[in-house]
Amino acid sequence: GCRSSGGLSLNIIARRRSGKSNLAGVIEETLCQRGDPWVCLDPVSAHWGIRYLDDRGQPGKPSGHDVLIVGGKYGDVPLDEKGGAALAQIIVETDISCVIDMGAETMNASQGFVADFATELRRINETPRHVLLEEAHVFVPQQLQYDNQKACLGALSKLISMGGGKGIGYTLISQRPAGIAKTVLEQIDNLF
């Protein structure tokens, strides 16, 4: 399949309950159908359903999409909050798509995990890969509030600004564009 999703930058901005995560799900499904790997950093447990046909908010029949779910209620494996770099290595080595469900993690643990993950992904990735940031203002905030936010913002800013040369594209998903770091928003090519 065509591996051209790397380097593409999107921003999905809309109010709460308006379909942002559904649009992101369509992007994920399209990438799956094309054979393009992607990763969703999901602090609200909104993306585990990619592997299932919905049955009123519960897993229904398999969707046919081969996606690893890490963490959360429906995860294939638990999330190791100290395993961000190791998971990035596994994803790159196996070239798989993955949802990283951090809905049950603390904000500090999630941001530390993402900082390690993004740093390692940028360092080792060599093929096109798309990264979706659900609730992007949590990971790339305009104003810092938590201990690991600075490390997370720094790692993701570098991934976003320098990852395109290594085939990494991204989608920011948020209801609060004012809460996203301006240095990150300036990198966006397409806005939904």
Side-chain angles (χ1 to χ4, degrees), residues 83-161:
L87 184 57
Q89 291 168 0
I90 291 166
I91 287 170
V92 169
E93 287 170 10
T94 59
D95 210 26
I96 59 171
S97 293
C98 180
V99 171
I100 303 172
D101 185 334
M102 295 171 275
E105 305 301 317
T106 67
M107 190 68 66
N108 206 37
S110 295
Q111 290 166 338
F113 176 91
V114 170
D116 293 344
F117 177 84
T119 298
E120 186 68 2
L121 183 65
R122 185 186 57 79
R123 188 181 75 77
I124 65 173
N125 191 73
E126 296 292 334
T127 60
R129 186 169 322 281
H130 200 81
V131 178
L132 296 98
L133 297 172
E134 180 68 60
E135 300 293 337
H137 57 275
V138 168
F139 299 118
V140 286
Q142 180 62 23
Q143 296 184 354
L144 303 175
Q145 298 174 345
Y146 303 99
D147 292 343
N148 282 331
Q149 244 174 355
K150 187 173 184 178
C152 185
L153 173 61
L156 283 171
S157 293
K158 212 168 185 181
L159 179 74
I160 288 168
S161 66

Side-chain angles (χ1 to χ4, degrees), residues 28 32 36-42 47-48 50-51 66-71 76-77 79 87-88 90-92 94-101 113 117 129-132:
E28 292 165 354
C32 283
D36 293 343
W38 54 270
V39 176
C40 180
L41 300 170
D42 182 9
H47 294 265
W48 59 265
I50 186 73
R51 286 228 319 252
D66 187 19
V67 177
L68 176 67
I69 310 292
V70 176
D76 299 306
V77 294
L79 179 69
L87 184 57
I90 291 166
I91 287 170
V92 169
T94 59
D95 210 26
I96 59 171
S97 293
C98 180
V99 171
I100 303 172
D101 185 334
F113 176 91
F117 177 84
R129 186 169 322 281
H130 200 81
V131 178
L132 296 98

